[in-house]
């Protein structure tokens, strides 16, 4: 069998159709190679059992423990039977329950003193942790061959516990791995020999054997060190090749011009730029002055002045005879950017108009909902070069839109845009334009090196003077309803002091959703039986309740994505002008909405939002001189991971610290939702948060190798592995810049 093909062998050939189907559907494992890269999550030792005291709620777990007690209980006047088994491991106790016909076999086998492996989902019943109907495998029985094998495997060795699913427990996965393990010999080694020997790494086939069937803890460490390196290195080579290819593209250098638009703009600024803004601007100006396209990621906390830095870059390009386009993810945000940029520029944004500056340029807005006449004029201004700056949504990407000379593309909140959209905009330049990507989601350095590894990174970490602190608190609405009543009183107090407030809900809610009466009844019934299942709170319902109840007498308006753009704009204008006291909205306000007089925010069902999203939302208050207040309302159970997340958000305003917490909780480093899907599916051993040194070292090696041999002609194995990693999806995913 040739070296690559045994890894490409479909699992159903070796494992049978039923097992292969479960692996494909529930674990995304399709080939022998996929299964060999499905590494154990941890290892059990005979003498060291899992701490039952530390079991996570609502997760599928595998534990090794001893039966302390087992008894059958009758219920329903003797018609129903329930077997309750108590497990112990020295650290704590765990209850198992089996019902009905399912009690006979475990009743015979799970005798006090017996040791076994159990797998199931952890739940709470009567305030006690329990597993209902777990699958189990005895570890010290001798009556069944299977159990004897288990004893042998268990007695002398570390027992691998695999990431499993309800349909397939860890020990069945272990059996499947045994069936494919001989193929580990055919693994193609991506590391160049000199690198492997220089760093003293275990050969790849040996690392795969050691990770799945270690004899000692040292075997596990050896294998992990090697497999982490492979992942980091292959990914960094892919990114280094992408960066190298970008440096080969031609671009028009856009150098600053003395006494131009930028100088005129700087001269009328009512404040001085922060040190950070100066430093980052210099990095950007240096990039713009080169003859290959800039690819830079600008990350900065909410309110750190990214828009100011981007605007100065756009003015530089206009000075140098080019045009700049800013792409925003929503119409609300595009309008907001257009408004704030024209305000900042004043008469400089009215080039060619009466009263405009002779050094000025036109700043146009282009969105899907504009009227025909305004749209036609905007398109004309772009093609003639009359407009130096355009701000818009994905409407900018349509074929009809032609530029006179597109020199710079600024993408706001880039992880909301597909690759094709960015490429379509880039192709509108005569030569590839420079690219500046902005994000207010703070990204730890390691993630920036992996997810945005093809972009150079600039960080704005100073807040401009005059920003106020924000106090954040969790409001446990279920345990302490009077806390929620107090929250609405606080909102009223803020309004009485002349300020305004936001209330954020996860859902819009409207007649279309309620029209189907049956569905609604079913939803209500489910919610009554299990409060966890109730639908998320909705903007329209909450706004209605507040107008009639807690905030009666205040001006309460709504804002959400299904409103007509003119309507949205009208509400935002009135809120910005102070005519609306409380704005009840969905996350359309998450990015970029700037109303300094808004000081309070109440986030309903806060546990239904991610950490970085909560941080973004909170950044909408405290933008003026008065302190901000953010209340995170939740019905989540006090001990749940959701509540732990909210407490973390309430405890710090440091976005970088929060993104680290977010990463640690998610482990895969899925900081940016789907933006990372390509990387996530290829990272199995590497945890982006813990392995900063590995990633940094791999990046250095990768850069050196690609500089010496861009096409990897002398490294055919590395090329083969790269081709397998960069299947179509991941190729597209990496194609950011």
């Amino acid at each position: 069998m040739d070296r690559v093909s045994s890894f490409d062998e479909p699992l159903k050939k070796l494992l049978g159709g039923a097992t292969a189907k479960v692996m494909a559907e529930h674990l995304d494992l399709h080939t022998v190679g996929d299964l060999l890269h499905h590494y154990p999550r941890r290892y059990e030792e005979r003498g060291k059992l899992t701490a039952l005291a530390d079991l996570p709620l609502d997760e599928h777990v595998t534990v090794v423990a001893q039966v302390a007690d087992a008894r059958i209980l009758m219920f329903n006047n003797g018609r129903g039977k329930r077997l309750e088994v108590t497990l112990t491991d020295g650290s704590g106790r765990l209850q198992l329950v089996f019902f009905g016909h399912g009690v006979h076999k475990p009743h015979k086998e799970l005798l006090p003193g017996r040791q076994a492996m159990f797998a199931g989902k952890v739940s709470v019943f009567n305030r006690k942790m329990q597993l209902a109907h777990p699958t189990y495998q005895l570890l010290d029985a001798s009556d069944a061959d299977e159990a004897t094998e288990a004893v042998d495997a268990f007695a002398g060795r570390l027992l691998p516990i695999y990431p499993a699913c309800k349909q397939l427990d860890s020990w069945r996965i272990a059996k499947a791995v045994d069936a494919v393990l001989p193929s580990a010999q055919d693994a193609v080694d991506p590391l160049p020999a000199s690198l492997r020997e220089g760093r003293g790494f275990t050969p790849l086939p040996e690392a795969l054997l050691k990770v799945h069937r270690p004899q000692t803890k040292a075997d596990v460490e050896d294998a992990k060190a090697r497999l982490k390196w492979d992942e980091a290195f292959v990914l960094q080579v892919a990114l280094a090749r992408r960066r190298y290819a970008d440096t080969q593209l031609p671009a028009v250098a856009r150098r600053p011009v003395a006494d131009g638009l930028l100088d005129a703009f700087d001269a009328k600024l009512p404040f001085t730029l922060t040190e950070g803004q100066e430093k980052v601007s210099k990095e950007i100006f240096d990039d713009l002055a080169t003859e290959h396209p800039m690819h830079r990621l600008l990350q900065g906390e909410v309110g750190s002045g990214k828009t100011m830095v981007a605007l100065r870059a756009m003015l530089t390009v206009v000075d140098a005879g080019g045009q700049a386009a800013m792409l925003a993810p929503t119409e609300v945000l595009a309008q907001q950017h257009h408004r704030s940029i024209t305000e900042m520029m004043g008469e400089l944004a009215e080039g060619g108009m009466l009263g405009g500056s002779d050094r000025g340029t036109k700043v146009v807005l282009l969105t899907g909902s504009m009227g025909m006449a305004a749209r036609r004029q905007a398109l004309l201004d772009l093609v003639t070069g009359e407009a130096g700056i355009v701000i818009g949504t994905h409407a900018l990407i349509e074929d009809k839109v032609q530029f006179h000379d597109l020199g710079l593309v600024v993408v706001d909140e880039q992880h909301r845009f597909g690759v094709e959209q960015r490429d379509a905009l880039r192709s509108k330049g005569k030569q590839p334009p420079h690219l500046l990507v902005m994000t207010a989601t703070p990204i730890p350095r390691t993630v920036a090196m992996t997810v945005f590894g093809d972009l150079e990174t600039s960080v704005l970490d100073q807040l401009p003077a005059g920003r106020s602190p924000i106090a954040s608190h969790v409001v446990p609405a279920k345990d302490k309803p009077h806390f929620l009543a107090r929250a609405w009183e606080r909102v009223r107090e803020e309004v009485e002091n002349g300020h305004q407030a936001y209330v954020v809900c996860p859902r819009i809610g409207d007649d279309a959703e309620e029209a189907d009466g049956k569905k609604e009844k079913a939803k209500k019934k489910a919610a009554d039986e299990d409060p966890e299942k109730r639908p998320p709170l909705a903007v329209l319902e909450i706004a209605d309740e507040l107008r009639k109840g807690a905030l009666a007498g205040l001006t309460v308006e709504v804002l959400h994505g299904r409103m007509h753009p003119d309507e949205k704009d009208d509400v935002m204008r009135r809120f910005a002008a102070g005519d609306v006291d409380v704005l009840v909205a969905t996350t359309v306000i998450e990015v970029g909405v700037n109303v300094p007089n808004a000081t309070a925010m109440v986030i309903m069902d806060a546990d239904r939002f991610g950490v970085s999203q909560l941080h973004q939302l909170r950044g909408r208050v405290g933008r003026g001189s008065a302190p901000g207040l953010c209340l995170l309302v939740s019905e989540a159970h006090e001990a749940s991971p959701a509540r732990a997340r909210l407490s973390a958000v309430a405890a710090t305003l440091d976005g970088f610290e929060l993104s680290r917490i977010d990463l640690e909780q998610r482990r895969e480093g899925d900081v940016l939702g789907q933006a990372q899907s390509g990387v996530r599916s290829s990272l199995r051993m590497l945890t982006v948060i813990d392995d900063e040194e590995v990633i940094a070292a791999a990046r250095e090696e990768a850069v050196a190798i690609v500089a010496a041999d861009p096409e990897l002609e002398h490294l055919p194995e590395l090329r083969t592995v790269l081709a397998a990693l960069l299947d179509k999806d991941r190729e597209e995913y990496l194609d950011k810049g």
Side-chain angles (χ1 to χ4, degrees), residues 247-253 255 287-293 431 434:
T247 63
Q248 304 307 299
L249 291 172
V252 179
R255 296 184 180 89
D287 281 359
L288 290 174
T290 59
E291 293 186 351
H292 60 82
Q431 284 190 324
H434 298 281

Side-chain angles (χ1 to χ4, degrees), residues 2 263 284 330 375 460 498 512 517 589 684 700:
D2 99 47
D263 285 351
I284 292 171
T330 63
R375 190 180 168 76
L460 272 177
I589 62 150
R684 299 181 190 275
E700 248 171 71

Side-chain angles (χ1 to χ4, degrees), residues 17 20-21 26 60 119 144 153 214 221 238 260 273 297 317 323 507 516-518 576 603 642 690 726 736:
K21 188 168 187 257
H26 297 280
H60 203 80
E221 291 315 308
L273 297 175
L297 170 70
V317 169
Q323 290 168 295
R507 195 168 63 101
D516 189 344
K518 272 189 202 157
I603 303 178
D690 300 328
L726 299 181
K736 275 203 190 63

Side-chain angles (χ1 to χ4, degrees), residues 311-322:
L311 175 56
R312 293 181 75 242
M314 294 198 283
L315 296 176
T316 302
V317 169
V318 175
D319 273 343

